[in-house]
Amino acid sequence: MALNNIIRRAASRVVPLAFRASAASQRYLHHHGAACPCCAAVTQPSRNLLPRVFPSVAHHYSTKPKSDESLARVIKSEIECALETQEEDEVSTLSFSFLLFRLASQSVEVPEGFPFKIEDHPGQQTITLLRDYNGESITVEVHMPDISAEDENEKDDDEEQDDEQGSQSCIPLVVRVSKQNGPSLEFTCTAYADEIAIDSLSIKDPNTSEEQVAYEGPDFGDLDENLQKSFHKFLEIRGIKPSTTNFLHEYMINKDSREYVAWLENLQKFVEA
């Protein structure tokens, strides 16, 4: 009983104090609320706060056109499709469309005894081969694979044979053989499977200015047949032979595949930025 009396007396003293503190705070806010913005903001939040924040966020996301988002999805799908196609195990040697999508991440192994040093820079559509041979500097510029297109006006009686060669994948080459402080020979070639065709031959003199027009000589096909064979042998001795160009064919197809995927990825980065 004594304990209950003590609790009741303590409660009777605390409750009136709580009411007086609450009443005092109400009177202070009533008289000073207009002069205290902080108190006013706490007791009565601004109704304009949300309208000022959320419209700007919505406006931020609406600045990107839906067409860009669609384009990004299409590019991503194309990358995935290209990578999946590159994983095909069986690829036709005469089908450039399949060769283009060979496994980009797979490196092409350089064959033993390959006589050239390869300079391959990502993002470029050519590679450069370098070699020194008996005091000569040999430079080969290798271009991306292409399919030989046959001119309708140049068809002859061997049309079927020409059509078969015309469907083959080939790589264009520019071969430069130069000697120290002297002129150089420049061959424009087309390398097919197990065959190299010399399209043109010219002499480049470093002492000739660009304003001078040098005599380029006759068309290579118009040269004497023995002379043509001798120039083919000239290139073969210096490393331009079918075993070399067949490897380069595979190498450039692999590079074309890697460059295509990298190109798509750069497009994706730009569109999604």
Side-chain angles (χ1 to χ4, degrees):
M1 291 295 294
L3 178 62
N4 290 335
N5 291 332
I6 293 172
I7 293 174
R8 283 197 297 270
R9 284 197 298 268
S12 63
R13 294 176 182 175
V14 171
V15 172
L17 290 175
F19 277 110
R20 286 197 296 270
S22 175
S25 64
Q26 292 294 334
R27 287 194 301 271
Y28 178 83
L29 293 177
H30 176 74
H31 292 289
H32 300 283
C36 184
C38 296
C39 295
V42 172
T43 56
Q44 189 174 2
S46 173
R47 297 179 181 178
N48 297 326
L49 179 60
L50 294 180
R52 279 185 291 183
V53 174
F54 285 95
S56 62
V57 175
H59 176 73
H60 172 73
Y61 285 102
S62 65
T63 56
K64 197 173 188 64
K66 292 184 178 180
S67 59
D68 287 4
E69 298 176 357
S70 176
L71 177 59
R73 288 193 298 269
V74 173
I75 294 175
K76 180 180 179 181
S77 175
E78 180 65 17
I79 294 174
E80 294 173 353
C81 180
L83 292 175
E84 289 176 1
T85 309
Q86 290 165 4
E87 296 175 356
E88 296 292 335
D89 293 331
E90 296 185 5
V91 181
S92 172
T93 58
L94 297 180
S95 176
F96 178 73
S97 60
F98 282 105
L99 289 171
L100 177 63
F101 298 108
R102 300 251 346 234
L103 184 60
S105 59
Q106 180 182 8
S107 60
V108 179
E109 194 172 326
V110 179
E112 185 178 356
F114 189 74
F116 294 95
K117 174 187 176 182
I118 301 177
E119 288 188 352
D120 185 352
H121 301 287
Q124 296 185 3
Q125 63 178 0
T126 62
I127 67 170
T128 302
L129 308 181
L130 302 173
R131 183 191 183 189
D132 291 331
Y133 176 80
N134 289 346
E136 299 174 347
S137 295
I138 303 174
T139 305
V140 184
E141 186 179 281
V142 187
H143 293 256
M144 290 293 188
D146 196 3
I147 291 185
S148 301
E150 184 182 20
D151 192 340
E152 295 291 338
N153 298 327
E154 295 179 358
K155 290 185 179 180
D156 53 19
D157 296 337
D158 299 327
E159 184 176 357
E160 293 183 1
Q161 181 178 355
D162 292 342
D163 285 343
E164 182 178 354
Q165 185 183 37
S167 64
Q168 293 181 358
S169 179
C170 63
I171 52 173
L173 307 173
V174 178
V175 184
R176 298 182 182 89
V177 181
S178 59
K179 297 183 178 181
Q180 187 176 8
N181 299 327
S184 61
L185 295 182
E186 183 173 292
F187 298 84
T188 301
C189 306
T190 303
Y192 300 93
D194 301 321
E195 181 185 357
I196 302 173
I198 299 178
D199 302 319
S200 66
L201 166 62
S202 59
I203 301 175
K204 302 295 183 181
D205 190 346
N207 298 321
T208 303
S209 65
E210 296 181 356
E211 298 178 355
Q212 296 175 329
V213 180
Y215 175 68
E216 296 291 340
D219 292 339
F220 187 81
D222 295 336
L223 295 176
D224 181 78
E225 185 176 350
N226 291 329
L227 189 56
Q228 294 184 41
K229 291 180 179 179
S230 297
F231 275 119
H232 276 93
K233 189 66 176 179
F234 176 88
L235 291 179
E236 182 181 351
I237 293 174
R238 286 157 177 80
I240 310 302
K241 50 189 177 181
S243 59
T244 301
T245 56
N246 287 347
F247 161 73
L248 292 175
H249 185 270
E250 182 180 1
Y251 187 96
M252 293 307 292
I253 287 170
N254 181 274
K255 177 177 173 62
D256 200 2
S257 178
R258 287 184 283 112
E259 296 295 347
Y260 176 63
V261 173
W263 181 76
L264 285 174
E265 290 174 345
N266 288 333
L267 282 179
Q268 185 181 33
K269 291 178 183 177
F270 178 86
V271 174
E272 293 180 348

